[in-house]
Each structure stands twice: as C-alpha cells, then as structure tokens.
Amino acid sequence: MKNVLTILTMLLLLASCGKKTARSILPEGCELRAGDLVFRRGNGLTSRAVMAADRGGSYSHVGMVVDSCGVMMVVHAVPDEPDYEGDPDRVKMETPEKFYSSINAKMGEVKRLRGDTATAAKAARYALEAYRRGTLFDHGYDDSDTTKMYCCELIEYAYTRAGKPLAGRARHDIHLPGMRLRCILPSDICNNGALESVISF
C-alpha cells in the first residue's frame, strides 16, 4: 500500500510539472484610462510572425482600454484566443489582467495620448462600439473594409473616427506564400510621437 501511494504521488507531481500557471504580467497599481493603448509581445507562432514582419517594433499585438460601466477593460481584435468552444476570432473585451496573461504575453507597455483625454475617451467609445457590434477578426488584413478588423486596424479606426489617426499612411508590405498583404503593424502606432509611455514591463 505504501508503494502504491508513493507511485500515485510521483505521478501527480509529474503531471503538474508540464502545466503552465497563468499569471498577469501587468504590474500592480498601474492605473489605466480610457483610450490608453496596451501593447504586448506574445509567446506563440503568430507573435513571432508579426515580429519578423515588423522589424522596427517591439510588440506583436495592441488593444485599447475602454470604460465599461466604470470598469477599465481592454478591447482588442485577436485570432486564436477563443473563450469557449466554437468561439469565432473576433473583437473581444476582457480584463487588463487577462490581456496580459503570461499565456499570451511575455512583455508589454501602456501608452497614452499626450495631453488629450477627451480624444482618447472618444476613441475608446468607438472601439467599444466595434466590440458591441460583434465585429469579426479580419484574416485578410484589409483596413479599407471595417466590417472585419485586425488589431492595428481597430486602433487606427477608433482614433481616426475620434479625429486623431495614429498610423496615418504607414503600411507594411508583407509577402507570404500565396498571399500579399499591405497592413498596419504595431510599430506604426507605437512609434507615434503623440503617444507617451505610461509603463513598460
């Protein structure tokens, strides 16, 4: 009986060794405001592909902080992060802690529109509207059609509607097997001088 208990204990320990424990990499006490941009670099294949294409950047994904009934949340357009079985790739809303889960992020930065909280809050409302419309993720990366959106397209759309485009005409030409893309990448937004860094981690 003692040997059986020892073997069971060892099996349980081995089984738990391979599991990743998710934790938020967002530092405690970071105060977010509506319109803040939250950048992250991920751990997966998609993140590595974006980083390879975006040679001038440090991040592979971006979302926007919105005020949802007095609670700061993050709205972002993302593929391959379903909340339930059958969940389509879409614009979604989640807590900042979940956005910065160690499962999806290994580094991050929060940036804020310098000295213009009104425009930032207005942009956040447009991003929230895109979420509420159930906007799907744009796998074609076509920012001329806002019926579907990818992450940078969502940010540029919201800030342009608010009167302050951040990427402007900046686009990257990306050539993949069987596909040619011309799209906005995170550095096109992140490197805008109108933004100031709140915190990087």
Side-chain angles (χ1 to χ4, degrees):
M1 182 67 173
K2 186 177 178 183
N3 287 341
V4 172
L5 287 174
T6 302
I7 291 169
L8 284 174
T9 302
M10 288 176 66
L11 287 173
L12 286 171
L13 287 172
L14 286 172
S16 65
C17 285
K19 292 181 182 176
K20 280 188 176 180
T21 303
R23 60 175 183 79
S24 177
I25 67 166
L26 181 66
E28 285 187 35
C30 179
E31 291 187 23
L32 300 174
R33 295 183 194 164
D36 284 355
L37 300 182
V38 285
F39 294 87
R40 74 184 189 199
R41 181 187 293 187
N43 305 302
L45 185 62
T46 302
S47 177
R48 287 195 290 275
V50 173
M51 294 307 300
D54 196 2
R55 298 185 191 281
S58 301
Y59 305 107
S60 56
H61 188 56
V62 60
M64 188 185 303
V65 177
V66 300
D67 184 337
S68 177
C69 302
V71 177
M72 294 298 115
M73 301 288 282
V74 173
V75 167
H76 62 124
V78 64
D80 304 321
E81 289 184 25
D83 288 332
Y84 52 86
E85 191 174 332
D87 187 13
D89 294 340
R90 59 189 169 87
V91 174
K92 60 193 298 184
M93 183 168 69
E94 60 194 14
T95 65
E97 291 75 20
K98 185 171 181 189
F99 179 83
Y100 279 120
S101 164
S102 58
I103 300 295
N104 299 318
K106 62 182 178 182
M107 62 182 282
E109 184 172 7
V110 177
K111 286 201 158 186
R112 182 171 291 156
L113 188 62
R114 199 184 303 272
D116 191 350
T117 56
T119 298
K122 193 174 180 182
R125 288 193 294 275
Y126 285 119
L128 191 55
E129 283 176 12
Y131 161 72
R132 289 180 174 152
R133 279 196 307 270
T135 306
L136 295 177
F137 185 83
D138 183 1
H139 289 281
Y141 296 88
D142 177 9
D143 53 86
S144 68
D145 175 9
T146 56
T147 59
K148 295 181 180 179
M149 295 186 188
Y150 60 95
C151 70
C152 296
E153 179 183 3
L154 172 64
I155 303 307
E156 184 66 359
Y157 164 81
Y159 264 98
T160 299
R161 289 287 307 271
K164 183 73 177 177
L166 296 176
R169 295 172 183 252
R171 298 293 183 275
H172 284 75
D173 290 308
I174 301 169
H175 304 282
L176 300 170
M179 185 185 294
R180 296 180 66 163
L181 304 173
R182 184 165 176 75
C183 59
I184 306 167
L185 291 178
S187 68
D188 298 325
I189 295 169
C190 190
N191 296 339
N192 189 307
L195 301 173
E196 60 183 348
S197 182
V198 174
I199 188 169
S200 57
F201 44 92

